Short mmCIF file of all heavy atoms in Angstrom, two decimals:
data_model
loop_
_atom_site.label_atom_id
_atom_site.label_comp_id
_atom_site.label_asym_id
_atom_site.label_seq_id
_atom_site.Cartn_x
_atom_site.Cartn_y
_atom_site.Cartn_z
N LYS A 73 0.64 2.15 -0.94
CA LYS A 73 1.36 3.41 -0.92
C LYS A 73 0.84 4.26 0.22
O LYS A 73 -0.35 4.49 0.33
CB LYS A 73 1.17 4.14 -2.24
CG LYS A 73 2.08 5.37 -2.37
CD LYS A 73 3.51 4.94 -2.52
CE LYS A 73 4.42 6.12 -2.73
NZ LYS A 73 5.80 5.72 -2.87
N THR A 75 1.81 7.49 1.06
CA THR A 75 1.91 8.94 1.04
C THR A 75 1.40 9.60 -0.23
O THR A 75 1.56 10.79 -0.39
CB THR A 75 3.38 9.35 1.25
OG1 THR A 75 4.17 8.75 0.23
CG2 THR A 75 3.88 8.91 2.61
N GLU A 95 6.91 -25.23 3.92
CA GLU A 95 8.32 -25.30 3.63
C GLU A 95 8.60 -26.22 2.46
O GLU A 95 9.63 -26.11 1.80
CB GLU A 95 9.10 -25.73 4.87
CG GLU A 95 9.00 -24.73 6.00
CD GLU A 95 9.83 -25.13 7.20
OE1 GLU A 95 10.59 -26.08 7.12
OE2 GLU A 95 9.67 -24.47 8.23
N ASN A 98 9.25 -24.29 -0.68
CA ASN A 98 10.57 -23.69 -0.74
C ASN A 98 11.63 -24.72 -1.05
O ASN A 98 12.58 -24.46 -1.79
CB ASN A 98 10.86 -23.01 0.59
CG ASN A 98 9.88 -21.90 0.90
OD1 ASN A 98 9.95 -20.83 0.32
ND2 ASN A 98 8.94 -22.19 1.79
N PRO A 178 -2.00 -4.53 -8.15
CA PRO A 178 -3.40 -5.00 -8.11
C PRO A 178 -4.03 -4.93 -9.50
O PRO A 178 -4.05 -3.87 -10.14
CB PRO A 178 -4.06 -4.03 -7.13
CG PRO A 178 -2.94 -3.59 -6.24
CD PRO A 178 -1.74 -3.50 -7.13
N ALA A 186 -8.80 4.25 -14.90
CA ALA A 186 -7.58 4.19 -15.71
C ALA A 186 -6.40 4.91 -15.07
O ALA A 186 -5.28 4.80 -15.55
CB ALA A 186 -7.85 4.78 -17.09
N GLY A 206 -15.18 4.89 -15.27
CA GLY A 206 -14.65 5.79 -16.27
C GLY A 206 -13.77 5.18 -17.33
O GLY A 206 -13.22 5.89 -18.17
N GLU A 219 -3.71 -11.56 -19.37
CA GLU A 219 -3.66 -13.00 -19.60
C GLU A 219 -2.48 -13.38 -20.49
O GLU A 219 -1.84 -14.41 -20.29
CB GLU A 219 -4.98 -13.47 -20.20
CG GLU A 219 -6.13 -13.41 -19.20
CD GLU A 219 -7.47 -13.79 -19.79
OE1 GLU A 219 -7.75 -13.38 -20.94
OE2 GLU A 219 -8.24 -14.50 -19.13
N ASN A 239 -8.28 -5.44 2.57
CA ASN A 239 -8.59 -4.73 3.80
C ASN A 239 -9.73 -3.75 3.60
O ASN A 239 -10.56 -3.57 4.48
CB ASN A 239 -7.37 -3.96 4.30
CG ASN A 239 -7.68 -3.15 5.54
OD1 ASN A 239 -7.87 -3.71 6.62
ND2 ASN A 239 -7.76 -1.83 5.40
N VAL A 319 -8.73 -19.46 -12.93
CA VAL A 319 -9.15 -18.86 -14.21
C VAL A 319 -8.06 -17.93 -14.75
O VAL A 319 -7.62 -18.07 -15.88
CB VAL A 319 -10.49 -18.11 -14.06
CG1 VAL A 319 -10.88 -17.45 -15.38
CG2 VAL A 319 -11.58 -19.06 -13.59
N LEU A 361 6.86 -9.96 13.21
CA LEU A 361 6.90 -10.59 11.89
C LEU A 361 6.77 -12.10 12.00
O LEU A 361 6.01 -12.73 11.25
CB LEU A 361 8.20 -10.23 11.19
CG LEU A 361 8.42 -8.74 10.86
CD1 LEU A 361 9.83 -8.53 10.31
CD2 LEU A 361 7.38 -8.24 9.87
N ALA A 384 23.13 -0.17 8.32
CA ALA A 384 24.45 -0.73 8.04
C ALA A 384 25.12 -0.02 6.86
O ALA A 384 26.26 0.48 6.99
CB ALA A 384 24.33 -2.22 7.75
N ASN A 387 24.65 4.23 7.04
CA ASN A 387 25.17 4.92 8.22
C ASN A 387 26.48 4.35 8.74
O ASN A 387 26.94 4.73 9.82
CB ASN A 387 24.12 4.88 9.34
CG ASN A 387 22.84 5.61 8.94
OD1 ASN A 387 22.89 6.62 8.25
ND2 ASN A 387 21.70 5.08 9.35
N LEU A 390 28.12 -1.66 10.05
CA LEU A 390 27.86 -3.03 9.62
C LEU A 390 27.68 -3.98 10.78
O LEU A 390 27.19 -5.10 10.60
CB LEU A 390 28.96 -3.52 8.68
CG LEU A 390 28.71 -3.26 7.18
CD1 LEU A 390 28.57 -1.77 6.90
CD2 LEU A 390 29.83 -3.86 6.33
N ASP A 395 22.37 -8.29 14.30
CA ASP A 395 21.09 -8.26 14.99
C ASP A 395 20.10 -9.26 14.39
O ASP A 395 20.29 -9.76 13.28
CB ASP A 395 20.50 -6.86 14.95
CG ASP A 395 21.31 -5.86 15.77
OD1 ASP A 395 22.24 -6.30 16.49
OD2 ASP A 395 21.03 -4.66 15.68
N ILE A 417 14.44 3.82 1.10
CA ILE A 417 15.28 4.64 1.97
C ILE A 417 16.75 4.27 1.90
O ILE A 417 17.60 5.05 2.37
CB ILE A 417 14.79 4.57 3.43
CG1 ILE A 417 14.92 3.15 3.98
CG2 ILE A 417 13.37 5.08 3.56
CD1 ILE A 417 14.64 3.04 5.47
N LYS A 533 43.21 -16.20 3.11
CA LYS A 533 43.10 -14.74 3.08
C LYS A 533 42.31 -14.31 1.84
O LYS A 533 42.62 -14.73 0.71
CB LYS A 533 44.47 -14.08 3.07
CG LYS A 533 44.38 -12.53 3.12
CD LYS A 533 45.73 -11.88 2.89
CE LYS A 533 46.60 -11.98 4.15
NZ LYS A 533 47.84 -11.18 3.97
N ASN A 539 34.28 0.29 -0.73
CA ASN A 539 32.87 0.59 -0.98
C ASN A 539 32.23 -0.42 -1.92
O ASN A 539 31.46 -0.07 -2.81
CB ASN A 539 32.73 2.00 -1.55
CG ASN A 539 33.25 3.05 -0.60
OD1 ASN A 539 32.83 3.13 0.55
ND2 ASN A 539 34.21 3.84 -1.07
N ILE A 543 32.70 -12.02 -3.53
CA ILE A 543 31.98 -13.24 -3.17
C ILE A 543 32.78 -14.44 -3.66
O ILE A 543 33.00 -14.61 -4.85
CB ILE A 543 30.56 -13.26 -3.78
CG1 ILE A 543 29.78 -12.00 -3.32
CG2 ILE A 543 29.81 -14.52 -3.38
CD1 ILE A 543 28.46 -11.79 -4.02
N ASN A 547 36.76 -22.53 -7.30
CA ASN A 547 37.03 -22.18 -8.69
C ASN A 547 36.64 -23.35 -9.58
O ASN A 547 37.48 -24.13 -10.01
CB ASN A 547 38.51 -21.79 -8.87
CG ASN A 547 38.80 -21.32 -10.27
OD1 ASN A 547 37.90 -20.97 -11.03
ND2 ASN A 547 40.09 -21.30 -10.61
#
Side-chain angles (χ1 to χ4, degrees):
K73 189 70 177 180
T75 57
E95 296 183 8
N98 299 285
E219 290 176 319
N239 177 72
V319 178
L361 296 173
N387 298 324
L390 270 60
D395 292 352
I417 63 172
K533 183 189 283 188
N539 299 305
I543 303 171
N547 185 17

